[in-house]
Amino acid sequence: KVNRCANMDQLMKSILKHSEDRNYITLAEFLQSNVELLGKQDSQSLDNFVEALDVSKQSLGVLAALCAKVQLPSLDFQQLLGQVTTFTTFFDGEQVTHARATCT
């Protein structure tokens, strides 16, 4: 059973742990179960979250946060474009192959 997090700190710790363990299938399922938490965040919280992660080591976490961000009613397009460019330049392909369920 995949757990839901109560706050973004718990989510961050879980992403770091799953990524370190290279348990990407479980991480993708975990992120899917926490889409609602990410969706409740504002742009600044999501930006801080993305900045705290290393895209080459926590690609699934960054992708989940970016997916939540693009669904916000208003956002800084230039900043989002920069984040997406950084993601597409440095992401870990092994992790992203498990992302089908994280960005819906």
Side-chain angles (χ1 to χ4, degrees), residues 83-98:
Q83 290 169 322
V84 169
T85 300
T86 298
F87 178 81
T88 58
T89 303
F90 298 106
F91 75 92
D92 176 8
E94 181 183 356
Q95 288 184 52
V96 175
T97 60
H98 301 289

Side-chain angles (χ1 to χ4, degrees), residues 12 16 45-55 58 62:
M12 175 70 71
L16 294 173
S45 295
L46 292 169
D47 289 340
N48 293 341
F49 193 78
V50 167
E51 289 174 21
L53 295 171
D54 180 337
V55 70
Q58 293 96 32
V62 172

Side-chain angles (χ1 to χ4, degrees), residues 5 7-15 30 34 38 49:
C5 293
N7 58 55
M8 292 296 281
D9 288 335
Q10 286 180 346
L11 184 63
M12 175 70 71
K13 288 176 185 174
S14 294
I15 289 170
F30 169 79
N34 284 282
L38 285 165
F49 193 78

Side-chain angles (χ1 to χ4, degrees), residues 15-102:
I15 289 170
L16 294 173
K17 175 71 173 134
H18 286 301
S19 296
E20 182 180 321
D21 294 344
R22 301 177 60 85
N23 194 350
Y24 304 133
I25 293 170
T26 302
L27 177 56
E29 292 170 356
F30 169 79
L31 289 168
Q32 184 62 38
S33 72
N34 284 282
V35 166
E36 188 175 325
L37 175 63
L38 285 165
K40 291 179 180 177
Q41 306 307 307
D42 63 18
S43 183
Q44 185 62 53
S45 295
L46 292 169
D47 289 340
N48 293 341
F49 193 78
V50 167
E51 289 174 21
L53 295 171
D54 180 337
V55 70
S56 66
K57 295 178 182 173
Q58 293 96 32
S59 297
L60 284 171
V62 172
L63 181 59
L66 292 176
C67 286
K69 187 172 179 178
V70 299
Q71 296 178 31
L72 293 173
S74 63
L75 53 92
D76 180 340
F77 180 76
Q78 290 300 316
Q79 183 178 28
L80 177 63
L81 181 59
Q83 290 169 322
V84 169
T85 300
T86 298
F87 178 81
T88 58
T89 303
F90 298 106
F91 75 92
D92 176 8
E94 181 183 356
Q95 288 184 52
V96 175
T97 60
H98 301 289
R100 286 178 281 161
T102 63

